[in-house]
Amino acid sequence: MDVDEFFAQLFDKLENALKGSNKEEILKEFFGGSVCHQVISRECEHVSEREEGFYSFSLVLQGKRTLAESLSAFVEGDVLDGENKYFCEGCKAKVAALRRDCLLNLPSTLVIHTKRFEFDLELMRRIKVNDLYEFPLKLNVEPFTKEGLERREKQKNDGKEIPPAHPPSHYDYDLEGIVVHSGSADSGHYYSFIRDRDSSQWFQFNDSVIEPFNVDSIPSQCYGGDETSQVWDPQARKWVTKTCSKHYSAYMLFYAKSDVEYPMMLKTPSDLVPRDIYERVWHKNENFMWQQSIFDPEYFSFVWDLVMHVEKLPQEEYSRLAMPAIQLATCFLVNTLSRAKERENLGTYTKQLQGMLSRNIPACTWLLRFFEEQPKLLKVLLLLCQYDDVRANAVDLFMHVLRTLAPGAVFEMWVEEPQLSKEEAEDMEVDESDRKAVTNPIVYEHTGRPKSVLVRFMDTLLDMADDLPDNWRNFEQYFQLFYEFASIGPDQRRYLLKRRVMARFIDIFLAEKSPYAEFSKKRNRGKMGDKATQPEFGHMVGMCAVLVKNGDLQRDFDEVDLEIVKHQEFFSKSLYNNVNMNALCDLVAVFCTSYSFSKDLLETTKQGMNSVNASFMQPYFQILTRVLAIEDQRQSDRTKIGYRLLKFIVEENTKHPKIVAEVFKYVRDTAVPRLPLLRAIFWQHAHLFQEYTYFAQGETSELELLHGATRSMLQSLVPPAAPVAEGKQPPEPSEESVHALLAELLEHVADAKAQLPKVGEDQTGDHSSQIAEFLRLIRWCIRSSAQKQLVLQHADELLDLFSTIDGLKNLMDKNKLELVQLLLDAVRVCPEFKAKLLADDYVTSKLLHTYIQIDSAVPASITYNEAATPPFYELVHLLCKADEHTLRSVVTHQNFSWAITFVYLKNNFQKAGELIEDVLRMYCTSPASAAFRKERIAKFVEYDFRDDLETKPVAFMRYIGILLQSNEDRIQFCTTPSITTPRVTPFLKLAQALVDRQWKGGALETWAETMQNACQCLITAQSESTIHSENIGPSVILKDVCAGVATELCNTVTYDAAWSRLWDNLRLVLETLTSINKHCLAVVVCKLRDWFKEQFDKGAEPYVPDPFYDMCLSVASRAAMLPVSARRPSPSAAGIDLALLLACINMTKDVLDLLFWCVDQPSTSEFVVFSDCLIFFLSHCFGIGITQMGQPHVDVFLKRVVPQVPAPAPQVVQNLAVHVKQSLADFTACEQGDTKLASAASYLNSVAVAVDIVCGNPNFFVLVKAQVRRELGNLTSQELCQQVGAVLQGKRQADFQLCIANVTSMLSDNEEGKTKI
């Protein structure tokens, strides 16, 4: 019965029980709803309807992802047509009709049953649907009601919006509860998630557990679907990730109406409940409350505070209460705290109890006696308890007591018990199994009761040994106690040997494979371990190692112990389960002094290694190392057996490359550094293992692992040239040994080649790395001239191998990569090998035909080619560098053209690109390359290369620079128009790229260098009338380019001397373009003018190095001298503006001469006079540039231009007035003979000259006088004159004649004032 059926039966019984009562309708009030079954005719207006009530209704889940989809399918209905037409009672005829269901009356609580269980007709059994199925926290059912369906249909027909029949809240439901099914269709478990209406908090109800639940976890806990988990793979013997369906998902959903107020339910009086039920519930509640009190953390603190309070009492009180306190603490820890869920303080309390026991020997004795007398409690604590921390703390407590009592313990004193009489013995009935148990040789037969409580306690523990197999998950701490007990001292070990504990435990470990299995009481021992967990016997093996290492095998051990501990099955199972390998190695070190035992152990090791996969071989290697490292007269014999063992594993596992690889790794990492005898044997037989560098049976990934391990093993086996000093790096390998290895390897080249498929044959599997490690090993061996000659002797075989590999056309061929590296190494170190390749014309006939494919959509392809292309093109580079004929053949080869495009220009293979570029440069700088360069430059015309500048702009522009070696190349590049876009030359396309991409850094520098190279010939060609600017391209594009260059020039001005080369190149490009095209000049001069204006507007004088100033002045001069045109902006006006701005930076004679010339020219004088920049310039001159007044070229220019200024400039007057005030103040402050007098007079004189110049313009005169008066305190003319007289009094009038005259003229507005001065 599933929960839906249970729900239906429960409500049916409740309905029957409520009949006739005043609550008969209560179920319908809360849960009752109804469904309307409709048949709607499509040929007439008749509709047949039938109402059916429900407490819950079912929805189809299979094939649906959401609750909304299921509800839509519920109301979708079926069409009755054809033979299935519906008989209409109203029309008395069969008509086509729609049959559907919909919600009619909505319940207060909507219970939805999702059909998680279906019947599979193929399997003919019931299955559970674990598909993902989502449902909302809030549900609106209006679309699925009768009125909702009718409203939408009418709305569709009428084409206008119709409101719902009820308010929206009438149809809204909130999720209140979820019933989850966990399990399969045949079995499972139900639990619920329920929302508390008062707090809106969700809770999980799972049997007796009630705990808060996070509503955000509903999707993961209730929707079903798939999940990933770690599962145990018994074949691989490891955890693997697996995707599987969730076995838990929502089965029933409970939704409550949002607009319904639910009344509080009345509590049922206890007298209405049957007495037996009432008492049973009461008892459970009483027990629950008792447990709540007992396991309350506050109670824990109270008890322990009470115990620890005794520690603080005076000595007399302490002596009286110490024992009761310890007894209380022990009982509390064992019976209460160890059973609690919240036991964070268990470890702390245990340590404190140990401290109390350390000072109280009688209490230690009591504690052991307490547990000895309650063996069941001891068993619960150490074996039945499921909590690791509880068992671990119990062991800590017992071991502390045992160590405390150890010095005074008595192990050999027994109290004899009376023997049974013969008649009593005959009367005892002993069955066969009991007889065998009594005579079991591994069980100690007690002859009396031990006097020592410590011995009795340990005997009690030993009596629990028969229960260990049934409690294998928990016995780790049990064995830990015996291991630590054995480590205390010789008396404890003697006790364990006397009791045959080692034999008894190993018997349990070996189970049915124990040599004493027939004596066990439990003939059918339960299996220990499962596919996910294995029992932990580490401490048991550790105890055995402690006993064996610290005992005398002849004196202390009896035959039973020795037989079972040396039994090969014990070692076999320990190795297989990887049980405490350090302790197992200690046992091996003791027992392997016997050669016969070591032979048996090596055989066991061989069988075990041959039965496990590669992941579980390390324990066997560890034991093998320990056996072979024993230094005695039989070490050589054991080593030979060990070699045969490893060779056997290799030969038996050729179908399992990972296992063979693990063997070779062991030889490399362990045998070579630690087992010199084994290393020597492997080196003697190294030729047997060389084939594993190209072995071809298995999966590609495993074969790569095997090939690499073989190669590294063979390298490590090569004897060193000198003994290895301890702690030092190993020296270089022996030259003679390397030579011998290389000779063997080269003899196997043909065998390695045979592992590859033949060209043209169907390839099965991936052979792209088949012989890569074999070739890498050959490379490693090429070290001296002798090896070079050896490689030269096999050159033909290696080159033939290259042809075979290349013919397979693998996309990412590691074989080819290694062989190219090998050929490159040979060419580097062996001139004869290089000569052979050049003599046979191998480069052009074979090498350049090498198959290279670059798939940019495959990241692995890019990674591979990043590694593979550099050695290949370095090989080509070396051969080209050595021979001019080869160089010409390579550069003109079609595959090299492909390499230029796809390796150098289109992909970011930097190292390979540099090599290709160098080969190209070597050839293009030779006189014979003119035709090649012309052809390559012509190709630029055939396609739009600007897209190539997106990927590698620097490489592409350097490529162009390499091709432009002569003026003919440059003229062709600059003037040959494109076929597809007439008048657009390659030069113009490259120039335009700067504007399109706004390069920075290296790309900009390379662009400038390339363009400067191309521009070298343009001015000369134009002066010789060879070309005109129209030959280069349309002016509109040239102007954009010039604007871009000018912008970059201005931007780079902010840098220091590091940019000088870049700046020079940009300047030369700009000067070239402005020289050959006046439109370019106009654009540039406007750009420069606007940049200077922008800098001055920021309030700071721009940083302008001398070269930049000179270039700007040159541009301004050429623009100013252009014929005046009516168009705006005029280049002439912009040139004059630029000159005026340059004069603000530095009023050099050159810039003022240019301006003077412009003023004198009728066509340009108005540009000067009416320029905004002139006012800016005058403001500058009469502001921060006032000190330059008095210089002849400055005075002459200003006197020429100022009188023509058409309107007063307030800023000019303001600046000048400030200087008047400051200069008079400075001059007045100086006394006769003051060192500052000359500079103050010079300053005053400059101001006076400036005033004289400004006042020469009537527009300025009145304004200047008024501004000066305001600056000097708004004095009258007479007062001003008197003040100036006071200033000049006492100073030599002859020295300041001009200053006096100028100041007088400036301040006086009448003859009377002049006379007084």
Side-chain angles (χ1 to χ4, degrees):
M1 178 188 299
D2 64 29
V3 71
D4 177 53
E5 295 169 342
F6 173 79
F7 179 88
Q9 291 188 21
L10 173 64
F11 269 57
D12 184 56
K13 290 187 177 184
L14 286 174
E15 275 190 314
N16 292 331
L18 291 169
K19 280 183 180 179
S21 70
N22 59 351
K23 298 293 184 180
E24 184 174 356
E25 299 296 320
I26 191 170
L27 291 180
K28 289 183 179 179
E29 290 176 14
F30 282 96
F31 298 97
S34 63
V35 173
C36 182
H37 303 289
Q38 293 181 317
V39 180
I40 305 171
S41 173
R42 292 190 170 184
E43 299 179 9
C44 62
E45 296 182 355
H46 295 120
V47 177
S48 172
E49 295 182 340
R50 178 173 60 85
E51 182 179 354
E52 181 184 1
F54 68 82
Y55 289 124
S56 71
F57 75 101
S58 301
L59 291 176
V60 175
L61 178 147
Q62 196 165 24
K64 309 293 186 293
R65 286 185 58 86
T66 64
L67 179 63
E69 289 184 23
S70 295
L71 287 168
S72 297
F74 175 75
V75 300
E76 184 177 2
D78 303 315
V79 176
L80 304 177
D81 202 355
E83 296 181 357
N84 296 323
K85 281 188 175 183
Y86 169 70
F87 183 80
C88 178
E89 293 291 341
C91 300
K92 302 299 180 181
K94 286 191 173 184
V95 295
L98 172 67
R99 180 174 60 195
R100 72 182 181 192
D101 301 326
C102 53
L103 295 173
L104 184 60
N105 296 312
L106 300 179
S108 297
T109 301
L110 178 63
V111 182
I112 299 175
H113 161 233
T114 61
K115 294 183 178 180
R116 282 280 179 188
F117 300 114
E118 300 283 356
F119 190 81
D120 192 320
L121 294 175
E122 293 183 0
L123 301 175
M124 296 305 293
R125 62 182 177 86
R126 196 167 182 243
I127 62 169
K128 182 181 178 182
V129 181
N130 290 315
D131 298 348
L132 178 69
Y133 188 74
E134 302 174 2
F135 48 86
L137 294 177
K138 290 187 175 292
L139 177 67
N140 183 284
V141 298
E142 193 270 342
F144 316 109
T145 60
K146 178 185 175 184
E147 60 266 28
L149 292 171
E150 292 174 347
R151 181 179 68 84
R152 290 208 308 273
E153 290 168 355
K154 187 174 181 181
Q155 189 171 278
K156 182 178 179 182
N157 295 331
D158 297 347
K160 60 181 181 180
E161 189 73 21
I162 300 175
H166 301 282
S169 59
H170 177 74
Y171 304 101
D172 289 339
Y173 284 87
D174 294 323
L175 185 64
E176 294 278 328
I178 307 167
V179 176
V180 175
H181 177 265
S182 173
S184 65
D186 302 320
S187 62
H189 172 66
Y190 289 103
Y191 54 94
S192 303
F193 298 111
I194 303 175
R195 184 174 76 93
D196 178 55
R197 286 188 178 128
D198 294 333
S199 64
S200 295
Q201 170 68 49
W202 282 79
F203 293 90
Q204 177 181 354
F205 291 77
N206 192 345
D207 291 344
S208 61
V209 177
I210 302 174
E211 56 189 4
F213 175 72
N214 187 351
V215 68
D216 295 334
S217 300
I218 286 179
S220 62
Q221 296 297 316
C222 304
Y223 284 178
D226 294 336
E227 65 178 347
T228 58
S229 59
Q230 296 289 316
V231 298
W232 180 257
D233 187 336
Q235 307 222 332
R237 297 183 67 193
K238 65 179 181 180
W239 292 94
V240 297
T241 302
K242 184 179 180 181
T243 300
C244 55
S245 298
K246 292 181 180 178
H247 61 275
Y248 49 91
S249 52
Y251 187 56
M252 293 188 75
L253 305 174
F254 290 77
Y255 283 93
K257 251 190 177 184
S258 302
D259 61 351
V260 173
E261 291 291 336
Y262 291 90
M264 292 295 293
M265 300 300 292
L266 297 176
K267 295 182 180 179
T268 303
S270 59
D271 54 356
L272 296 181
V273 180
R275 191 67 188 171
D276 59 330
I277 296 177
Y278 179 83
E279 290 181 353
R280 191 161 63 246
V281 172
W282 180 266
H283 176 71
K284 284 186 176 182
N285 288 337
E286 186 180 36
N287 185 57
F288 173 77
M289 293 304 298
W290 180 81
Q291 289 190 11
Q292 288 292 99
S293 301
I294 290 297
F295 295 110
D296 188 341
E298 293 186 4
Y299 171 69
F300 297 163
S301 300
F302 165 75
V303 172
W304 203 255
D305 289 343
L306 184 63
V307 170
M308 297 309 296
H309 180 70
V310 175
E311 294 282 291
K312 303 174 184 178
L313 296 175
Q315 183 61 36
E316 183 179 351
E317 291 292 317
Y318 174 78
S319 301
R320 184 172 61 85
L321 295 176
M323 178 65 80
I326 291 174
Q327 291 172 344
L328 171 61
T330 303
C331 293
F332 168 70
L333 291 181
V334 171
N335 294 319
T336 304
L337 189 59
S338 64
R339 302 170 188 265
K341 283 186 177 181
E342 299 178 10
R343 52 178 184 279
E344 294 81 5
N345 293 323
L346 178 60
T348 303
Y349 291 174
T350 303
K351 293 293 183 186
Q352 292 174 349
L353 176 58
Q354 291 175 19
M356 298 170 69
L357 289 167
S358 299
R359 300 186 295 274
N360 198 320
I361 298 298
C364 292
T365 304
W366 169 85
L367 187 142
L368 293 184
R369 186 180 297 112
F370 174 77
F371 284 101
E372 173 215 346
E373 294 171 353
Q374 301 188 68
K376 290 184 179 180
L377 179 61
L378 190 60
K379 180 179 177 180
V380 168
L381 204 58
L382 288 180
L383 291 183
L384 300 181
C385 178
Q386 301 297 314
Y387 305 115
D388 292 347
D389 61 322
V390 173
R391 300 196 303 272
N393 279 286
V395 170
D396 286 346
L397 179 63
F398 293 146
M399 284 309 306
H400 180 79
V401 171
L402 292 172
R403 290 190 185 97
T404 303
L405 294 178
V410 180
F411 288 87
E412 297 298 331
M413 187 174 292
W414 313 96
V415 176
E416 294 291 335
E417 293 182 349
Q419 299 292 325
L420 295 174
S421 65
K422 184 176 180 180
E423 292 77 11
E424 290 173 331
E426 289 176 352
D427 290 339
M428 292 182 65
E429 296 182 359
V430 181
D431 62 20
E432 189 64 24
S433 61
D434 288 339
R435 188 181 304 281
K436 287 187 177 181
V438 171
T439 58
N440 189 344
I442 64 172
V443 177
Y444 177 79
E445 296 182 17
H446 290 277
T447 58
R449 183 174 183 271
K451 180 179 180 180
S452 169
V453 65
L454 188 151
V455 174
R456 295 198 303 272
F457 174 78
M458 294 303 298
D459 286 345
T460 304
L461 285 176
L462 273 177
D463 291 341
M464 296 160 52
D466 288 336
D467 296 314
L468 292 177
D470 296 331
N471 298 281
W472 59 269
R473 295 181 185 276
N474 306 328
F475 62 36
E476 178 182 1
Q477 287 74 25
Y478 177 87
F479 287 128
Q480 179 186 351
L481 190 149
F482 279 90
Y483 165 70
E484 294 185 12
F485 183 77
S487 302
I488 293 177
D491 289 334
Q492 286 74 13
R493 291 190 285 273
R494 193 175 303 116
Y495 163 80
L496 295 176
L497 290 173
K498 187 81 172 178
R499 291 291 193 269
R500 294 174 185 160
V501 174
M502 183 168 63
R504 196 166 181 182
F505 285 174
I506 295 177
D507 175 68
I508 294 171
F509 174 59
L510 296 180
E512 68 276 1
K513 293 187 178 181
S514 168
Y516 298 100
E518 60 179 310
F519 297 102
S520 176
K521 276 187 177 181
K522 297 184 179 181
R523 296 184 179 277
N524 298 319
R525 298 184 181 183
K527 181 182 178 183
M528 293 183 289
D530 56 29
K531 63 181 182 180
T533 311
Q534 290 299 313
E536 180 54 60
F537 282 99
H539 291 301
M540 184 273 291
V541 177
M543 182 203 70
C544 296
V546 170
L547 294 175
V548 170
K549 282 197 308 178
N550 295 281
D552 188 319
L553 296 181
Q554 303 300 325
R555 184 192 65 205
D556 299 334
F557 291 78
D558 60 19
E559 294 181 359
V560 173
D561 280 329
L562 285 177
E563 179 186 4
I564 198 165
V565 77
K566 294 174 70 174
H567 200 280
Q568 290 302 317
E569 189 60 38
F570 170 62
F571 287 91
S572 175
K573 189 170 183 178
S574 298
L575 285 168
Y576 185 81
N577 291 291
N578 193 14
V579 179
N580 197 342
M581 291 310 301
N582 290 332
L584 202 65
C585 287
D586 290 340
L587 292 173
V588 168
V590 175
F591 294 142
C592 279
T593 53
S594 166
Y595 179 65
S596 60
F597 178 85
S598 59
K599 281 179 61 179
D600 294 340
L601 182 59
L602 289 174
E603 181 63 27
T604 299
T605 304
K606 181 175 78 171
Q607 294 174 2
M609 290 177 69
N610 203 37
S611 65
V612 299
N613 61 30
S615 303
F616 298 92
M617 297 184 73
Q618 287 307 314
Y620 297 95
F621 289 140
Q622 199 170 342
I623 286 294
L624 180 62
T625 303
R626 195 61 177 262
V627 174
L628 300 186
I630 297 173
E631 297 180 357
D632 59 13
Q633 59 184 0
R634 306 304 298 268
Q635 184 179 16
S636 176
D637 297 328
R638 282 192 292 268
T639 302
K640 291 176 183 178
I641 297 175
Y643 167 75
R644 289 195 294 270
L645 181 156
L646 295 173
K647 184 170 177 288
F648 170 81
I649 298 299
V650 169
E651 292 171 347
E652 288 294 310
N653 290 279
T654 53
K655 293 183 179 180
H656 306 285
K658 286 182 71 174
I659 292 179
V660 180
E662 288 299 318
V663 173
F664 290 161
K665 286 180 185 178
Y666 167 74
V667 175
R668 176 195 67 195
D669 298 335
T670 304
V672 169
R674 297 175 56 187
L675 302 172
L677 294 179
L678 185 60
R679 172 183 184 170
I681 297 177
F682 262 92
W683 172 244
Q684 287 177 347
H685 300 88
H687 61 280
L688 299 177
F689 307 107
Q690 291 173 10
E691 64 174 311
Y692 290 100
T693 55
Y694 52 81
F695 190 77
Q697 296 181 19
E699 295 182 5
T700 301
S701 59
E702 294 185 357
L703 287 176
E704 289 182 355
L705 187 67
L706 170 60
H707 298 161
T710 309
R711 189 253 316 154
S712 58
M713 179 196 70
L714 290 172
Q715 288 176 198
S716 68
L717 288 174
V718 178
V724 182
E726 186 174 354
K728 301 290 183 181
Q729 288 290 335
E732 288 294 314
S734 164
E735 185 73 24
E736 181 181 354
S737 302
V738 171
H739 191 83
L741 177 59
L742 178 59
E744 287 281 351
L745 291 171
L746 291 172
E747 291 299 328
H748 283 77
V749 170
D751 297 334
K753 177 184 173 184
Q755 302 300 319
L756 301 173
K758 294 180 180 179
V759 177
E761 290 183 349
D762 292 338
Q763 297 187 38
T764 56
D766 182 9
H767 300 274
S768 62
S769 59
Q770 189 67 54
I771 63 174
E773 296 293 344
F774 172 74
L775 296 170
R776 187 178 296 179
L777 185 57
I778 293 178
R779 285 180 54 213
W780 180 82
C781 291
I782 303 176
R783 293 170 175 268
S784 66
S785 57
Q787 283 114 43
K788 299 172 190 175
Q789 294 301 319
L790 202 56
V791 172
L792 184 61
Q793 294 172 19
H794 293 79
D796 292 334
E797 297 173 55
L798 293 173
L799 296 177
D800 182 56
L801 179 61
F802 182 86
S803 299
T804 300
I805 294 174
D806 186 59
L808 296 175
K809 298 189 183 306
N810 289 316
L811 177 61
M812 293 171 283
D813 200 324
K814 296 178 184 176
N815 300 327
K816 187 193 295 184
L817 171 59
E818 291 300 330
L819 187 51
V820 169
Q821 289 276 19
L822 174 57
L823 296 177
L824 177 60
D825 292 345
V827 168
R828 282 173 178 163
V829 301
C830 185
E832 296 86 349
F833 196 93
K834 183 193 301 182
K836 178 175 178 58
L837 293 181
L838 294 173
D840 294 346
D841 202 18
Y842 184 80
V843 179
T844 53
S845 63
K846 295 288 185 183
L847 200 59
L848 279 180
H849 290 279
T850 299
Y851 175 75
I852 301 176
Q853 181 179 351
I854 301 173
D855 190 345
S856 58
V858 181
S861 172
I862 299 299
T863 303
Y864 168 79
N865 282 291
E866 284 176 349
T869 52
F872 177 78
Y873 287 107
E874 185 177 356
L875 177 61
V876 173
H877 179 271
L878 289 176
L879 296 171
C880 289
K881 196 173 182 180
D883 183 68
E884 291 185 4
H885 170 72
T886 301
L887 173 62
R888 182 172 61 255
S889 301
V890 166
V891 175
T892 56
H893 197 282
Q894 61 179 3
N895 282 359
F896 192 76
S897 298
W898 177 90
I900 291 174
T901 303
F902 293 99
V903 179
Y904 178 39
L905 299 180
K906 287 189 177 295
N907 287 286
N908 194 26
F909 302 145
Q910 183 176 353
K911 180 62 177 175
E914 291 173 357
L915 293 164
I916 292 172
E917 179 184 311
D918 201 39
V919 170
L920 187 63
R921 184 179 284 107
M922 279 193 292
Y923 182 64
C924 287
T925 53
S926 67
S929 64
F932 169 79
R933 299 198 307 272
K934 183 176 181 179
E935 177 190 354
R936 300 302 300 181
I937 294 171
K939 288 185 179 297
F940 291 141
V941 177
E942 299 174 4
Y943 72 101
D944 191 352
F945 61 80
R946 283 178 292 185
D947 291 338
D948 297 335
L949 293 168
E950 292 290 347
T951 50
K952 293 181 67 177
V954 174
F956 193 87
M957 290 185 288
R958 285 168 64 180
Y959 172 51
I960 295 174
I962 292 170
L963 295 176
L964 302 181
Q965 294 294 326
S966 67
N967 276 346
E968 289 75 11
D969 301 332
R970 300 182 187 105
I971 293 294
Q972 180 186 2
F973 181 75
C974 293
T975 61
T976 306
S978 170
I979 296 174
T980 56
T981 53
R983 297 186 64 202
V984 179
T985 63
F987 173 86
L988 203 58
K989 285 191 278 189
L990 181 61
Q992 184 67 27
L994 173 72
V995 182
D996 295 341
R997 289 158 183 79
Q998 299 181 346
W999 285 315
K1000 301 295 180 187
L1004 177 62
E1005 294 172 7
T1006 310
W1007 182 91
E1009 185 176 350
T1010 306
M1011 291 296 291
Q1012 187 272 336
N1013 184 16
C1015 287
Q1016 281 182 5
C1017 64
L1018 291 181
I1019 296 178
T1020 305
Q1022 187 190 34
S1023 64
E1024 296 174 355
S1025 301
T1026 307
I1027 64 169
H1028 298 89
S1029 62
E1030 289 76 10
N1031 298 125
I1032 301 174
S1035 293
V1036 64
I1037 300 180
L1038 286 174
K1039 288 193 295 183
D1040 287 345
V1041 173
C1042 287
V1045 175
T1047 300
E1048 293 298 336
L1049 266 173
C1050 295
N1051 290 339
T1052 56
V1053 165
T1054 57
Y1055 298 114
D1056 55 19
W1059 55 264
S1060 60
R1061 181 179 175 186
L1062 165 65
W1063 193 87
D1064 283 342
N1065 285 326
L1066 289 173
R1067 179 178 57 81
L1068 288 170
V1069 172
L1070 197 60
E1071 289 184 352
T1072 300
L1073 295 178
T1074 55
S1075 298
I1076 64 175
N1077 190 302
K1078 63 181 180 180
H1079 303 296
C1080 293
L1081 180 61
V1083 169
V1084 170
V1085 74
C1086 290
K1087 274 284 181 185
L1088 293 174
R1089 177 198 60 190
D1090 294 343
W1091 183 80
F1092 275 102
K1093 277 186 175 181
E1094 181 183 345
Q1095 300 303 309
F1096 278 118
D1097 288 344
K1098 291 178 180 177
E1101 184 176 311
Y1103 167 67
V1104 181
D1106 291 343
F1108 185 54
Y1109 186 95
D1110 295 341
M1111 189 209 74
C1112 293
L1113 182 57
S1114 173
V1115 170
S1117 300
R1118 285 188 282 137
M1121 295 178 185
L1122 286 174
V1124 177
S1125 61
R1127 66 183 183 81
R1128 291 290 184 268
S1130 170
S1132 300
I1136 292 170
D1137 288 346
L1138 179 58
L1140 288 167
L1141 293 171
L1142 289 172
C1144 293
I1145 296 171
N1146 189 359
M1147 287 188 281
T1148 64
K1149 187 175 185 305
D1150 291 336
V1151 71
L1152 293 179
D1153 285 346
L1154 171 62
L1155 292 170
F1156 204 97
W1157 181 87
C1158 293
V1159 172
D1160 285 342
Q1161 299 300 313
S1163 59
T1164 58
S1165 61
E1166 65 175 81
F1167 289 153
V1168 179
V1169 173
F1170 289 95
S1171 171
D1172 292 339
C1173 295
L1174 176 61
I1175 302 301
F1176 187 85
F1177 168 70
L1178 292 177
S1179 179
H1180 173 80
C1181 288
F1182 301 130
I1184 61 177
I1186 194 73
T1187 57
Q1188 291 184 305
M1189 295 292 101
Q1191 298 182 25
H1193 64 282
V1194 176
D1195 294 350
V1196 171
F1197 173 70
L1198 292 175
K1199 287 179 180 180
R1200 176 72 175 82
V1201 74
V1202 169
Q1204 300 184 41
V1205 176
Q1211 187 60 45
V1212 174
V1213 173
Q1214 174 67 31
N1215 290 346
L1216 186 58
V1218 171
H1219 281 297
V1220 168
K1221 179 180 179 181
Q1222 186 63 45
S1223 62
L1224 286 171
D1226 291 352
F1227 189 74
T1228 305
C1230 295
E1231 299 296 335
Q1232 191 74 27
D1234 195 334
T1235 56
K1236 297 181 180 179
L1237 182 60
S1239 61
S1242 176
Y1243 179 25
L1244 182 61
N1245 190 58
S1246 297
V1247 174
V1249 171
V1251 171
D1252 183 58
I1253 293 172
V1254 171
C1255 290
N1257 187 321
N1259 294 313
F1260 282 94
F1261 183 75
V1262 176
L1263 189 62
V1264 168
K1265 284 201 300 179
Q1267 186 67 39
V1268 168
R1269 282 174 178 165
R1270 282 195 294 271
E1271 290 292 340
L1272 294 178
N1274 204 20
L1275 301 176
T1276 64
S1277 299
Q1278 185 175 359
E1279 290 171 335
L1280 287 175
C1281 293
Q1282 290 174 352
Q1283 189 177 72
V1284 172
V1287 169
L1288 300 178
Q1289 188 177 9
K1291 297 183 174 64
R1292 293 177 58 190
Q1293 185 173 353
D1295 294 338
F1296 308 108
Q1297 186 65 43
L1298 179 62
C1299 177
I1300 293 170
N1302 286 331
V1303 173
T1304 301
S1305 172
M1306 175 181 67
L1307 296 178
S1308 302
D1309 56 356
N1310 55 51
E1311 289 299 323
E1312 182 183 358
K1314 287 184 181 181
T1315 303
K1316 288 184 179 180
I1317 290 175

